[in-house]
Amino acid sequence: MYLDSHAHLEEQHFGSEVDAVLGRAREAGLAVVLAIGNGSRKSGGHREAQRLAARYDFVFATVGVHPHEAQESDARFLEELADLARSDARIVAWGEIGLDYHYDFSPRETQRAVFADQLKMARELDLPVVIHSREAEEDTLTLLRPWAREKPWGVLHCFTGSRRLAEEGLAMGLAISFSGILTFPKAGDLREIAGAVPSDRILVESDCPYLAPVPHRGRRNEPAWVVSTFEKLAEIRGDAPAELQKQLLGNFSTLFNVNIDCLGR
Ligand SMILES: [Zn+2]
Ligand SMILES: [Zn+2]
């Protein structure tokens, strides 16, 4: 029983193949997939994730504005997303939100403002957050700090940051999710961090269609392949796979407040 804590399953990535892709995820033994519903009025990605979560009992959804699209967002749109989240129990998190200073698709100041607004909104809704941070560690930490609490309240997704980001994130009550990058030959530092994260704070994800793990590297990624990332994580940590599976599913269930035992698996 595996899980995928972060998948982009929109039509722009998978076309009409999404049912086949989710079928393969089931066959591979995935018990749960979190479909990221990043939206703007133009893209409507949040609606697609929501529809998938309605169709598949092992898929849950998020809503949120990605830093890339921060400049297309406004208070009214965030309110629309909040209404969706309030009205649909299959929307279990707010995200992905954060800062991306690598691409800078939206002005940094706008990214920070939209990130801060969404952190506030998620807390008002009592939803955990899925956080994206690329080449923006200082500002990410500064914006997250006021929301720190003991109970798990978010995840640093596709973690590729420094040891300091990991340590401070953990101290703030965040979980850390690792993608296929964990299997890349040059990711020694990342593997070291993955070996040191407390077992009750760790997750894995595909981040599909990006970042396919070895041995699928370079191809369009899909949730089923998260198994390779999981196996690498078990190897790094010296954990028995069955134990680690149980632990990660428990972590997912705690963070996103979903009962995985109830899923028809
Ligand atoms: Zn991301
Ligand atoms: Zn993502």
Side-chain angles (χ1 to χ4, degrees):
M1 283 295 140
Y2 303 98
L3 64 99
D4 182 354
S5 78
H6 194 108
H8 297 273
L9 297 169
E10 297 96 317
E11 208 183 325
Q12 57 162 320
H13 303 305
F14 290 100
S16 57
E17 286 174 68
V18 72
D19 295 301
V21 164
L22 285 170
R24 287 197 290 273
R26 268 317 222 181
E27 269 166 42
L30 270 68
V32 64
V33 173
L34 186 59
I36 301 300
N38 274 146
S40 64
R41 282 200 184 84
K42 211 165 62 191
S43 77
H46 49 301
R47 298 276 182 192
E48 290 188 58
Q50 190 188 19
R51 280 197 293 269
L52 283 176
R55 259 198 4 247
Y56 289 92
D57 65 355
F58 73 113
V59 177
F60 292 89
T62 72
V63 289
V65 176
H66 194 282
H68 289 344
E69 294 168 327
Q71 66 186 340
E72 293 168 47
S73 175
D74 54 38
R76 223 190 124 108
F77 184 62
L78 292 188
E79 257 318 313
E80 280 173 33
L81 295 184
D83 282 343
L84 278 187
R86 282 187 202 101
S87 65
D88 186 348
R90 310 285 300 173
I91 295 173
V92 297
W94 194 281
E96 63 185 287
I97 58 176
L99 303 174
D100 194 311
Y101 294 172
H102 178 77
Y103 287 109
D104 279 328
F105 285 156
S106 285
R108 292 183 180 183
E109 204 178 317
T110 310
Q111 292 189 41
R112 287 192 290 270
V114 173
F115 185 25
D117 286 348
Q118 294 186 91
L119 286 167
K120 183 160 178 271
M121 190 153 253
R123 188 59 62 89
E124 280 166 11
L125 293 164
D126 200 22
L127 284 178
V129 288
V130 177
I131 300 154
H132 172 107
S133 177
R134 191 156 179 205
E135 295 174 26
E137 291 201 356
E138 278 314 313
D139 286 353
T140 300
L141 286 169
T142 302
L143 286 163
L144 289 173
R145 225 168 257 129
W147 304 103
R149 67 176 180 188
E150 249 162 67
K151 183 183 148 197
W153 61 283
V155 54
L156 293 168
H157 108 87
C158 190
F159 189 85
T160 53
S162 68
R163 177 171 295 271
R164 176 165 167 256
L165 180 63
E167 284 170 357
E168 293 214 20
L170 289 165
M172 282 181 205
L174 297 171
I176 296 185
S177 180
F178 294 95
S179 69
I181 296 175
L182 207 57
T183 67
F184 294 179
K186 285 183 184 155
D189 290 351
L190 188 65
R191 284 188 282 275
E192 217 173 281
I193 292 172
V197 175
S199 55
D200 63 346
R201 296 289 193 87
I202 201 162
L203 289 170
V204 288
E205 66 179 72
S206 65
D207 204 9
C208 69
Y210 318 105
L211 298 170
V214 173
H216 310 287
R217 194 172 178 183
R219 298 169 63 191
R220 180 189 70 185
N221 194 11
E222 63 176 70
W225 296 345
V226 80
V227 175
S228 300
T229 303
F230 171 88
E231 284 168 353
K232 178 56 76 179
L233 182 67
E235 177 196 314
I236 292 165
R237 296 174 66 86
D239 291 340
E243 284 307 305
L244 187 60
Q245 283 177 347
K246 222 161 67 189
Q247 178 77 55
L248 297 190
L249 285 172
N251 295 349
F252 186 99
S253 160
T254 303
L255 177 60
F256 297 114
N257 197 22
V258 297
N259 190 349
I260 297 175
D261 288 331
C262 289
L263 302 173
R265 63 190 194 208

